[in-house]
Amino acid sequence: TIYVLDEERQEIQFRVLRGKRTGPLKTMTLKMGEGVAGWVISEGKPVIIDDAASDPRFASHFDKESGFETRAMVAVPLTYKEKTVGAIQVLNPKSGGHFHDEDLTLLQSLGNIVAAALENARLYEMAKSRYEMTSEELREVQARLIRTERMAALYHLMSGVAHEVRNPVVSIGGFAARMKKKLPQDHEFQKYLDIILDAVDRLQRLVDDVKEFYSLGQANPVLVAPDDFLDEFLSRWEARMADAGIELVRDYNGPLPRVRIDPDMVRVALDKVLTNSLEAISGRGGISLKVRAQGDYLKISITDTGKGIAKHDLPHVFDPFFTSKTQGVGLGLATVHHLIAEHQGEVKIVSEHGRSTTVILSFPLG
């Protein structure tokens, strides 16, 4: 069962029911703190119960209504951005025994994905009901929410994968390096060891990039003056661009309103955007950085005179591991998307293949 919290009514609703005799429950609700699910949501804690009938938190009238007999159960809160939005609960393992810590861990991993999906569905429905939008605008909102949901799911997946891959990679690299030192320089295995070490190096860079991605954390915004912040940031790029024959143009239309951002996060995002711009320019060219206050947003637009992005690639540029480069693992723009989403902002890319690309970072004001 998946439960969702209706904050306005202060009640808990059945969102998804799977299993036998669920029909009578579909229209029922729980009060805050009622039943095991209500306790999990109000306390924000997971629980394993071996004998439901003997647990004071168990609400037996739901079994009476449905004719189902609950024996053992496991339940975890659904948390999105440190806010409990519901709970997920599983009853009666098919083995007839009890649930274990491994079941709890698995359910918590699933809960992270479900919580993001529920919150994005709520935001989409709210946008649809409160604002008059065209079908195209609704599709764009839905696509953005789906992308955020997919990123959240992948974020939790990658944190586990990177941890499991790192140790074997280090071992393989370490033993291959020792073998290379021990064997004579003219040994036929030297070329194979070089291939292994090169592959290990690429895997290590991949793991490091993935670790950076899932270690980004949450934004800690402070109030900053955008022009001062950008001047300080761009001062670190001027020499690099000059050496590459790239002209940097700043276009601030002041006075600009102060905006709440996490300076460290925004520096990382801008670094990745400018790195992409620099790599896209072959020979001499230019990069312009334009800042405008438009409506409720401060918008930073970075335009380069590079080779642009193919039309069929544009829908996928924020997907993790998607890249058209021969080097890199394709986490640059995925990272930018995550960092700006942490500010409740938006990222948009406009590109003309063969000519230029503009990346627009929007940060809410107020």
Side-chain angles (χ1 to χ4, degrees):
T1 309
I2 295 176
Y3 301 87
V4 292
L5 172 62
D6 186 328
E7 284 188 302
E8 196 171 314
R9 298 181 180 178
Q10 279 296 290
E11 67 179 21
I12 299 163
Q13 301 166 350
F14 291 87
R15 179 62 180 266
V16 176
L17 287 156
R18 291 289 182 269
K20 298 177 181 178
R21 302 180 184 179
T22 59
L25 302 178
K26 290 181 179 178
T27 58
M28 298 179 71
T29 59
L30 289 77
K31 298 173 184 176
M32 278 294 289
E34 182 183 7
V36 173
W39 182 87
V40 166
I41 291 172
S42 62
E43 296 294 323
K45 298 177 182 177
V47 66
I48 294 177
I49 296 175
D50 293 337
D51 181 14
S54 64
D55 193 293
R57 294 167 293 191
F58 178 62
S60 60
H61 64 275
F62 290 103
D63 271 11
K64 292 175 183 175
E65 288 286 342
S66 65
F68 184 83
E69 182 187 358
T70 302
R71 300 186 307 275
M73 59 199 306
V74 57
V76 301
L78 299 176
T79 305
Y80 184 78
K81 290 187 179 290
E82 300 183 357
K83 175 183 173 184
T84 301
V85 297
I88 184 167
Q89 179 177 280
V90 181
L91 309 178
N92 298 356
K94 288 186 177 181
S95 65
H98 303 141
F99 290 104
H100 304 285
D101 289 341
E102 292 83 359
D103 303 311
L104 188 68
T105 301
L106 176 62
L107 205 58
Q108 285 174 318
S109 297
L110 179 62
N112 291 325
I113 301 169
V114 173
L118 285 173
E119 186 64 9
N120 285 332
R122 184 186 71 82
L123 292 173
Y124 177 67
E125 290 301 321
M126 187 170 67
K128 197 161 87 170
S129 62
R130 292 191 181 181
Y131 303 101
E132 292 183 4
M133 288 185 171
T134 65
S135 296
E136 185 178 349
E137 288 172 327
L138 279 172
R139 280 195 297 271
E140 184 179 340
V141 170
Q142 188 178 36
R144 191 160 61 244
L145 291 172
I146 289 171
R147 185 188 306 130
T148 303
E149 177 183 326
R150 187 167 61 228
M151 292 279 285
L154 190 66
Y155 178 87
H156 293 287
L157 174 65
M158 288 198 305
S159 64
V161 171
H163 177 74
E164 293 298 325
V165 170
R166 178 179 291 277
N167 290 339
V169 166
V170 170
S171 297
I172 294 167
F175 284 121
R178 288 178 65 184
M179 290 170 67
K180 185 172 175 60
K181 286 182 180 179
K182 292 283 185 181
L183 292 174
Q185 289 296 316
D186 58 351
H187 196 285
E188 61 173 323
F189 285 172
Q190 286 286 355
K191 61 181 179 181
Y192 301 129
L193 290 169
D194 286 336
I195 294 171
I196 291 172
L197 288 169
D198 181 62
V200 165
D201 185 55
R202 284 187 285 115
L203 271 174
Q204 186 66 54
R205 289 199 303 271
L206 170 61
V207 170
D208 289 342
D209 285 347
V210 169
K211 184 181 178 183
E212 179 195 41
F213 179 74
Y214 75 75
S215 300
L216 293 172
Q218 293 184 321
N220 295 302
V222 295
L223 203 59
V224 302
D227 39 3
D228 293 341
F229 167 77
L230 289 169
D231 280 340
E232 180 271 330
F233 168 78
L234 291 172
S235 65
R236 299 185 292 111
W237 275 86
E238 287 173 338
R240 182 177 172 184
M241 289 191 181
D243 291 343
I246 306 298
E247 180 186 7
L248 175 63
V249 178
R250 309 178 196 205
D251 182 3
Y252 307 159
N253 188 17
L256 295 169
R258 289 157 70 86
V259 63
R260 285 196 176 278
I261 61 169
D262 183 318
D264 292 335
M265 278 193 170
V266 176
R267 284 189 194 99
V268 171
L270 290 171
D271 272 334
K272 293 190 179 297
V273 173
L274 287 180
T275 298
N276 282 351
S277 295
L278 209 60
E279 292 175 353
I281 299 173
S282 178
R284 304 186 70 84
I287 296 175
S288 68
L289 191 144
K290 182 170 75 173
V291 189
R292 296 288 187 272
Q294 295 181 359
D296 296 330
Y297 288 89
L298 180 83
K299 298 195 174 188
I300 303 174
S301 303
I302 301 102
T303 302
D304 63 60
T305 58
K307 57 187 178 183
I309 302 170
K311 189 175 181 179
H312 61 269
D313 285 341
L314 271 174
H316 307 292
V317 292
F318 295 115
D319 293 347
F321 305 114
F322 175 84
T323 180
S324 57
K325 303 176 186 177
T326 55
Q327 294 185 338
V329 297
L331 283 175
L333 286 176
T335 301
V336 173
H337 179 275
H338 176 82
L339 293 171
I340 304 307
E342 276 295 313
H343 290 78
Q344 310 300 317
E346 298 175 3
V347 187
K348 185 177 181 181
I349 294 183
V350 180
S351 186
E352 187 177 352
H353 189 39
R355 297 194 63 180
S356 68
T357 297
T358 299
V359 180
I360 306 165
L361 310 180
S362 299
F363 299 91
L365 294 168

